[in-house]
Every structure is written in structure tokens, then in C-alpha cells.
Amino acid sequence: MAETFEQQPETGGNYEPLGAAELLDHDARSLRLRAGSTIVEVAALSEDIFRVGAFPDGDTPGYDSEAIAREDWGSVETSMERPDGEITLSTSGATVHVALDPLRISFTDASSRTFAADDELGMGFVRRPGADVFTQPLGSAPRLYKRREEGERYFGCGERTSGLEKTGSYQIFWNVDPPLGHTASFNNLYASIPFTLSLANGRSYGLLFDNPGRVEFDLALEDEGRAYYGAEGGNLVYYVFCGPTPAEVLSGYTELTGRTPMPPLWSLGNQQCRYSYMDEAEVREVARNFREREIPCDVIYLDIHYMDGYRVFTWNDERFPDPEGLISDLGEQGFRVVTIVDPGVKVDENYDVYAEGRERDLFCKKRDGEEYHNAVWPGVCAFPDFTNPETREWWGDNHRALLDRGVAGIWCDMNEPSHFIPRNSTMPGHVVHPGGPGGEPRLHAQVHNAYGSLMARAAREGLLKLRPGERPFVITRAGYAGLQRHALQWTGDNSSWWEHLWMSMPQLQNLGLSGVAWTGVDVGGFWGDSNGELLARWTEFGAFQPFCRNHTAIGTRRQEPWAFGEPYESVCREMLKLRQRLVPYLYTVFEECHRRGSPILRPLLFEYPEDETTYTTDDEFLVGEALLVAPITRPGTEHRHVYLPRGCWFHYWTGERFDGPAHVLVHAPLGEPPLYVRANTAVPMGPEMAHTGEKATNPLTLLLYPTEGADESTLYEDAGDGFGYEEGEYARRAVFCEGSAESVTVRLGEREGTFVPGREELRLELRGFGSAPESVVVNGESARSRYDEESGTMVVSLRETEGALTVEVAR
Ligand code: MIG
């Protein structure tokens, strides 16, 4: 038996690029060709999404994959032409060119840009003659070589810590619980998203190389004129997203792999965790502190010690004798409780979860048919075969033991899967996923990277079934392309180091560029002791994460926002209050993400792809399009450089105006992280609250910095939970703001949708006035306003109404 599984695909060796091809047949959207014994299909799924599949040795074409959310693509208008030696298939957005001898594929668009063009090595397979299930279980290895276009630069690749740009790097896609923790590198961590977004001359395209086994990319490292995409086994399947804007690429990518679901509103609030809050008394104490100290918090976590001997879906009677009582008391104070769930199921005949899984044959196997075991927290464990739909349903149903007690959400950990023997290892490649009835057994090596996604999917589907009216809240550590449709991703075990605070920024931006928009790192750092200044600075950053949770490891110093006394506690309090006030803005950005796949925490290049300076602004980012954040990530440092892209930006704390593009040196004492607001773009904010559901968002304030020029932004609201918004129960308003030296006009469009926000007052907070306005007119009638001389802020109070509102201010 091949115990040591091949970890590196051979380079060169038996690589055989596909040779001459002939057209076998075609339909309205696809071409089917044969090159030697390989079948190649090229299809236009939509106007700007193309799929290419190569199936060696008579393999039946198939695209079934955990990455893919959408199978039915409706019709797409195409035209096919056969110029010399080539077949082209065009949509209104792009053309795929298939050269026949040798078979080479490339793309062009209306601007006659060429992209994703095969290199002379083309695509093909590393042949492994005589492959058999014991020595070469994966058969031939697929490879794809694309030319690097003039000026092409690569981005994406999932949760990489090192930086935004991937040009000249080697990327490994293989989920691990990293034995040495996080380092600033392009190395693989817990999740794998084999996707690149390329930019050349300000125009982008995306490429998803869909293979859940071990994948490697060489992005113009070995040869600066070429990119390589390869896997250890399986067919060759890839998708091209034509763009040309990054927003269009991400929209197409998430149309294929799934969008981030609408979150329950409470999950945008601040969250608190520790490995572990050991018992009921400790949890109550933490909750009491948040409320007494007036630090906003919505969620408290129970890490592995709430379980009975780490048996999943059980409770420890000594530490948590009355989970229902605890959770309901916390609920009265506005807290929700989220519990951790690991995939390892303790091998124990007297434990019903194990006994049932074994009885129903739902675990992974060894090749001899016995259950596969390894050690994790509970001791020796079996591991659910999540590729089996029956396993997923069973697993999902098991969450009843938690939800029945009032648990609000599920935190999936260790799902690479992580194993203890040897330490921080994962399931060996030759373990068998039987797949269940009708399913095809597969080796772990073939599906490894999908394991985490499949576990998260089981949790989400279980929650949806158990609480059909509520939006599931699921967190995952591991996953594969498309994981965003099941869960949010937190980035695992960072350390309480300044370097890791810095790394959080590229890490989350890289995820955002890879379709995973709902993300967060452990605020304060996980391993090791944090300290006051680090926690305060980390919270200054964390308050802007899509998922804001403070978490630390067992045996470390306390790390709650008050743990290091003053001035740090106050800094954390004020930042978390600001976070809480920003929830209406964040929610609006989440909805945009849900609808279009745009990252929430986004790199500058997402909005300003024509500006190459943004390609390397790793340590600053946008939240939506209105806020630019540039955290301080060194101790004792109060100044830093910030790049402001084109447009006009206002420093949030001082009101100072900057006209981009500009490099500025900003002063950022503790408590005032560099934060800029884009001119004429509304930032909806609520009142201060202890937690998200404390009271109505009354007033809802639209913060605006009007300047010359005009811009449009949005306010989106709905019930904050449930699925009524899918039936039109939402409220959306366009906010149009136009300024000149003499006047400012703010037009709120009619409220669209049937949701009626429960409040009386809509407030405009217009900043940056040098003197009191001469007059204020609302819908043609003169209105009152308040003007604060010191801050140059003017406040206009409006009654919430369905109709449009026009506010005209004469300066
Ligand atoms: O081996 O459940 O990343 O957040 O606190 C450690 C205990 C297992 C790893 C997670 C971390 C969690 C911890 N878990």
C-alpha cells in the first residue's frame, strides 16, 4: 500500500500537451472536440463566463464540483465562426478562440484585448502509464499553461498573508492546520481557492482552476512570460471570467460559485471569544462586564470545553449544567451564544452520535473497508464522509442538540481536517470517502480541499432545516472555492504579534478578491499574550472587519477589551461603539456583496484598477466604497503613510480634506486610526447601542461630506433576519449628493421595497462647512437645521417617509 502519498507533482517528465484537435459537434453554447484520446469541451455559460474541460482517456465529461453553485445557465446568444485553422465562439461580451493544430485556447473581447491565452505548452496531462489504485491512484495529472500578457499582474489565491500581488510567486492549494502557525508567505493555510484575478492595463479577468485535490500555480515565477496551473490528478476544468472590471470578475465568479448569504443583522455586532470560557460562571462574568463597562457586544462563544469529553453535539453537565437557562438569561441581556463543532467523532460505542454514524456507515474508510481513525481532542475519532449527502443531512440534524438549547450559530473548526497524529497533519490521501448510495467512492486526495466546505454546508443546511425562518450563522476555518455560500471564514490561529496585525490586511483583502467577503481574523491575536497597545490597535482595525471577534488561546492572558486597563479599554470601547454605529452602513455593503459578489473589506484596486499604485497598497483598504482605513501596525507609532486614490477624501477625526491621488503622512494617536470618508458618499449610521437589537435605529444618520461634484450611494435595510427580503420586504434608497461653492443638494430617492423601517427620524449630518448655511429647504419648504461652528457640521432632521426628499442648502 502506498503509505506516503505523493506531495509534489513531477515537473516536466511525461507532460504531453494536447496536439491536433478536430471538432466533433457543437450546440448553441458549446464546442466538443477530440485531441488524441482526450475530449475537450469549450462552453459559454453566460456572456462573460466561459468553461473549458479536458477529459483524458475517454473519461465522460462532467463538471460536478463543490465549488459550483449554479448548473442551469439559461440561454446565451453566441455565434460560431471557422476562420482558417481556428474555431471561434462569441458572445456579446467576449470571444473564445480555439486553434486546432495544435489545440490552443485564448480569449479576446470587444476592446480587442487578448487574455487567458494558452502558452505554447497549452494544456495537457502528465501521463502516468499503468496507473493503478495502489501506486498511482490519481491517474494522469492535468496542467494548464497560460501566457502572461504584457504588464499582466496576478491577485487573488485566497487567504494568503504575504501581500496583494502574486506575480512571480508559487502557490500551493492544500488545506492544512499550519504546524508553524501563520507566516507572511504565499503558503497554504486552512482554505484553498484556486482562483486568480489578473490585471493588465487596468483591465481584469479571472480564472478558476477547479480541482479539490492538491493544486499548484506558478504565476510567472519560473518563466516570467507564463503562468502554470496544475493538479495531482483528475480532469482539467477551468473557468474564465471576462470582466473587464474587478467588480464584473467577482460578480461572475460568485454567480458561478455562489454568493455570500444575507447575514443575520446581529452577526454584524461585536463578538467575544476565548479558548475557552470554562464554565457558566465565567460566561456570565464576561457578559456582565460588557454591559457594565458599556462596551457593545452581541455574541459570546463557547469553545471546546462546553462539550462532554469533547464529544460533538453534547454538553458538559458540570461546567454547563443548565445551558438553556444560561442562554436565555444572556438573551435577555442581548447576547447570542455560538458553539464550536469539530468534525472528529469520538470512537465510543456508548456515544450515540458515533454509534449512529457507524451503524449508518457514514464515516471515512481505510482501503480495507475498516473505519479510518485518527486522534483529535476527544481521543481516537472517526471522521464523517461529508461527500455523502446522507452524512451531511445526519450531521445537520445533529445540531438539534445545540439549537434546542438556544444556540444561535455554529463555528466549524478543525475541518481541514486537522489530525493530531502526526501533529497538525491531515487525513492521508489514500483514505476512502465512500460517497454513499449513488455516489462514487473517492480518495481523500481527490477531495481534500472540499472537506471543510462540505462540513460547513452540512451545518448550514442543518440550521436551515431546523430553523427555516432564520438566516443561518455558520463560521468555518477550512474550505474550498465557493465556501462563501455556506459560511463566513475566520482565518484561524494567528499570534498576538504586531506582524500578524499587519498580515491581517492582505489576508482579508486576498479573500475578498477570491469571493470570500465575510471574513475576520482573531482580534488581539490568538497564540501568545496580547498587550494593551496591541489589543487597542488591533481593535482599531478589527472594528472594520466584516466579522469582528476578539479571540485568544488557552493559557494566554485575558484579552477582553478591558483586560489591559486604561487607556486601552477606552480605545476599545470607542472603536466598538463606532463599529456598532456603522452597522447600517456595513449592512448596506453586505447587501451589495450578497447581490453582486463585491468584497466588503476590499482592496483599493477593486475600485481603482486603472491606478497601479493601488496594486501594492497592502496595508490599507476600503470598506464598501465610502470608507478608507489605514491601520497603525507598529508599537509606539503615531504616524504613517497613506495612499489616497483619486477623488476627494475627508479625514474622519479632523475633517481635513485631501484631493487624491495623493500620498499623505497622517498623525494617528491611539484611538484615532487613520480613517477617511469619500466625499459625497453617504455613510448610514445608527445611534449608540449596547448590542444590535437594543433599540430601533432612530435616528438613522446619513453622514456626508459634500464637495463640488456629485456621487450616488445607497441605504439598504430589511428585517435583519428571515427571508422576507427575497419577496420584496426591504427598503432601499438612493442617496444623491451634489455640491458646489454655493450650494449642496442631497436627494433621497423614494423608498423602494415594502419594508418600513421602525423609526421617526432620518438625519443628515453634513460635514465640512466653513460657516453656517444661509438657508435650508426641504422639498421646497424652508426647514430648520442645527449648525455646530466648531466642527463645521450641519444637521438636518427629516421625518422618515416613503417619498423622495430633496434637501437644498445654500452656503
Ligand atoms: O487545536 O477549539 O483555530 O480558534 O480556539 C486548537 C480550540 C483547536 C483551533 C481554532 C481556535 C480554537 C481552538 N482550535
Side-chain angles (χ1 to χ4, degrees):
M1 191 162 99
E3 278 301 341
T4 47
F5 199 76
E6 183 186 14
Q7 291 289 299
Q8 296 285 340
E10 58 270 62
T11 45
N14 296 329
Y15 176 65
E16 287 175 26
L18 298 183
E22 53 168 342
L23 184 66
L24 294 178
D25 53 43
H26 68 92
D27 60 26
R29 69 149 45 95
S30 56
L31 314 172
R32 178 187 285 249
L33 307 109
R34 189 212 310 278
S37 61
T38 299
I39 299 294
V40 176
E41 291 186 331
V42 180
L45 300 183
S46 72
E47 271 145 33
D48 51 11
I49 306 177
F50 288 84
R51 181 183 68 200
V52 177
F55 305 88
D57 306 323
D59 273 12
T60 324
Y63 301 93
D64 188 32
S65 158
E66 170 47 32
I68 308 304
R70 180 160 180 190
E71 273 151 29
D72 172 18
W73 284 90
S75 62
V76 49
E77 254 176 60
T78 60
S79 58
M80 198 183 114
E81 281 172 46
R82 306 198 62 162
D84 240 12
E86 174 172 308
I87 307 176
T88 65
L89 184 69
S90 301
T91 67
S92 62
T95 298
V96 55
H97 303 254
V98 181
L100 291 173
D101 189 12
L103 177 65
R104 296 292 177 265
I105 294 175
S106 63
F107 297 80
T108 56
D109 68 11
S111 69
S112 56
R113 138 180 97 125
T114 299
F115 56 100
D118 284 357
D119 182 69
E120 73 259 16
L121 292 173
M123 63 172 159
F125 293 86
V126 173
R127 299 287 178 181
R128 292 174 180 144
D132 82 80
V133 75
F134 289 100
T135 57
Q136 279 302 354
L138 298 179
S140 303
R143 293 178 157 213
L144 173 66
Y145 295 88
K146 291 285 185 191
R147 199 163 72 206
R148 178 181 174 210
E149 299 300 330
E150 182 75 32
E152 178 167 358
R153 297 166 74 174
Y154 301 91
F155 302 90
C157 299
E159 63 184 337
R160 305 298 193 238
T161 46
S162 191
L164 292 174
E165 182 160 10
K166 310 295 179 312
T167 316
S169 74
Y170 195 68
Q171 304 280 333
I172 296 167
F173 299 87
W174 181 254
N175 295 353
V176 292
D177 181 358
L180 301 175
H182 300 187
T183 56
S185 83
F186 293 123
N187 281 344
N188 47 325
L189 293 170
Y190 315 87
S192 292
I193 306 172
F195 170 76
T196 51
L197 182 143
S198 283
L199 274 164
N201 303 312
R203 284 173 297 179
S204 62
Y205 74 91
L207 193 152
L208 169 68
F209 185 83
D210 186 12
N211 187 310
R214 185 187 175 94
V215 166
E216 304 190 356
F217 292 176
D218 173 331
L219 301 174
L221 174 65
E222 218 168 285
D223 178 336
E224 62 176 28
R226 142 188 321 153
Y228 154 74
Y229 306 79
E232 271 196 317
N235 299 316
L236 196 166
V237 175
Y238 72 96
Y239 297 82
V240 171
F241 310 91
C242 303
T245 65
E248 287 162 320
V249 170
L250 264 294
S251 171
Y253 173 75
T254 53
E255 194 177 341
L256 179 74
T257 61
R259 297 256 156 82
T260 303
M262 278 306 285
L265 188 65
W266 56 262
S267 66
L268 270 53
N270 178 43
Q271 316 200 11
Q272 184 63 45
C273 192
R274 178 178 186 87
Y275 166 26
S276 301
Y277 291 127
M278 289 293 182
D279 56 27
E280 160 160 0
E282 193 178 352
V283 173
R284 286 184 190 273
E285 177 71 8
V286 169
R288 191 177 57 77
N289 268 287
F290 272 104
R291 293 298 177 253
E292 277 180 17
R293 295 170 189 271
E294 297 183 15
I295 301 173
C297 185
D298 269 86
V299 187
I300 297 181
Y301 284 74
L302 301 184
D303 205 323
I304 51 177
H305 291 91
Y306 79 89
M307 294 180 268
D308 171 20
Y310 308 123
R311 288 171 186 82
V312 283
F313 307 118
T314 68
W315 292 88
N316 182 311
D317 301 338
E318 270 153 48
R319 297 175 187 274
F320 293 93
D322 177 20
E324 246 152 325
L326 171 68
I327 293 174
S328 114
D329 290 352
L330 291 175
E332 273 163 31
Q333 301 167 50
F335 291 100
R336 264 131 175 136
V337 171
V338 171
T339 49
I340 198 167
V341 173
D342 290 352
V345 176
K346 187 178 177 72
V347 173
D348 170 357
E349 299 288 349
N350 301 315
Y351 164 41
D352 54 353
V353 176
Y354 173 72
E356 196 181 317
R358 181 180 177 87
E359 161 77 27
R360 291 178 55 184
D361 202 12
L362 304 176
F363 294 120
C364 294
K365 299 282 184 63
K366 296 193 286 186
R367 278 212 289 254
D368 61 12
E370 288 296 304
E371 244 169 46
Y372 166 75
H373 294 161
N374 200 306
V376 221
W377 296 114
V380 176
C381 284
F383 294 85
D385 170 21
F386 289 117
T387 69
N388 178 354
E390 210 179 309
T391 307
R392 293 200 298 271
E393 199 183 355
W394 164 75
W395 189 259
D397 289 345
N398 268 301
H399 289 83
R400 187 189 300 276
L402 304 171
L403 268 59
D404 275 357
R405 308 294 177 91
V407 166
I410 298 300
W411 170 21
C412 306
D413 189 19
M414 304 290 278
N415 52 347
E416 296 69 31
S418 178
H419 284 359
F420 284 1
I421 303 174
R423 188 173 159 257
N424 284 64
S425 62
T426 189
M427 198 176 264
H430 52 76
V431 169
V432 178
H433 291 259
E440 188 195 337
R442 280 175 293 178
L443 295 177
H444 184 68
Q446 296 174 289
V447 297
H448 172 76
N449 288 339
Y451 193 83
S453 276
L454 289 165
M455 178 188 179
R457 176 173 168 188
R460 180 175 169 86
E461 288 170 357
L463 264 55
L464 269 174
K465 188 167 149 196
L466 292 164
R467 286 187 188 151
E470 291 181 25
R471 300 179 192 169
F473 180 70
V474 179
I475 304 178
T476 190
R477 189 169 77 174
Y480 181 54
L483 74 90
Q484 71 273 3
R485 67 186 192 277
H486 309 308
L488 77 87
Q489 189 190 348
W490 113 99
T491 57
D493 302 343
N494 56 7
S495 295
S496 298
W497 298 338
W498 290 95
E499 291 78 1
H500 282 193
L501 168 55
W502 186 91
M503 273 159 39
S504 309
M505 287 181 276
Q507 196 170 17
L508 299 189
Q509 296 185 77
N510 288 332
L511 278 168
L513 279 183
S514 310
V516 185
W518 192 3
T519 54
V521 307
D522 287 345
V523 172
F526 181 74
W527 296 120
D529 291 339
S530 202
N531 62 67
E533 188 186 359
L534 179 59
L535 178 65
R537 288 301 199 187
W538 210 312
T539 307
E540 291 179 356
F541 160 71
F544 296 98
Q545 297 189 115
F547 169 59
C548 175
R549 185 186 72 163
N550 175 319
H551 182 37
T552 185
I554 197 162
T556 63
R557 278 193 68 160
R558 306 292 314 181
Q559 196 175 292
E560 291 78 16
W562 53 86
F564 301 99
E566 292 299 349
Y568 311 112
E569 176 177 344
S570 291
V571 172
C572 293
R573 175 185 300 106
E574 293 311 313
M575 288 316 300
L576 295 171
K577 280 186 171 172
L578 177 61
R579 158 90 186 186
Q580 184 61 56
R581 289 207 60 201
L582 284 170
V583 163
Y585 175 65
L586 291 170
Y587 198 64
T588 298
V589 180
F590 265 82
E591 194 274 338
E592 182 203 5
C593 165
H594 170 66
R595 200 163 23 88
R596 301 181 53 202
S598 309
I600 296 161
L601 190 160
R602 58 184 70 152
L604 273 55
L605 67 84
F606 183 81
E607 297 287 343
Y608 307 93
E610 74 293 342
D611 176 357
E612 295 198 359
T613 304
T614 64
Y615 296 8
T616 48
T617 49
D618 297 333
D619 61 354
E620 54 180 279
F621 55 88
L622 298 162
V623 179
E625 47 176 44
L627 299 182
L628 188 151
V629 189
I632 296 284
T633 60
R634 294 301 300 159
T637 300
E638 291 197 350
H639 292 83
R640 63 161 284 178
H641 154 261
V642 180
Y643 179 67
L644 296 170
R646 85 178 134 76
C648 173
W649 299 89
F650 287 85
H651 186 273
Y652 179 79
W653 308 101
T654 63
E656 195 181 342
R657 171 186 169 147
F658 297 89
D659 289 289
H663 293 271
V664 302
L665 178 68
V666 60
H667 181 219
L670 205 61
E672 294 183 12
L675 170 62
Y676 299 85
V677 185
R678 193 163 102 163
N680 295 335
T681 314
V683 180
M685 297 174 82
E688 277 188 8
M689 295 192 210
H691 58 92
T692 304
E694 193 192 17
K695 51 189 178 207
T697 310
N698 184 33
L700 185 285
T701 301
L702 296 173
L703 173 67
L704 275 159
Y705 293 80
T707 53
E708 65 283 357
D711 220 323
E712 196 177 301
S713 45
T714 309
L715 164 64
Y716 174 88
E717 296 166 283
D718 62 23
D721 207 338
F723 300 94
Y725 70 94
E726 289 173 355
E727 317 301 327
E729 289 166 33
Y730 59 82
R732 189 197 310 276
R733 252 187 217 275
V735 181
F736 179 79
C737 180
E738 186 172 24
S740 71
E742 296 82 43
S743 68
V744 173
T745 304
V746 179
R747 251 197 324 275
L748 306 184
E750 267 175 45
R751 210 169 61 205
E752 180 198 310
T754 60
F755 180 73
V756 181
R759 66 164 161 266
E760 284 94 53
E761 189 189 349
L762 245 178
R763 199 180 273 184
L764 291 190
E765 186 175 324
L766 307 179
R767 292 199 189 163
F769 279 77
S771 57
E774 287 193 357
S775 69
V776 178
V777 172
V778 176
N779 282 4
E781 297 191 11
S782 118
R784 274 193 300 167
S785 66
R786 277 183 288 129
Y787 177 70
D788 177 58
E789 201 139 338
E790 205 183 317
S791 63
T793 302
M794 200 193 82
V795 175
V796 187
S797 170
L798 307 165
R799 282 196 80 75
E800 174 68 40
T801 157
E802 214 177 314
L805 287 160
T806 303
V807 179
E808 292 165 282
V809 181
R811 294 188 124 161

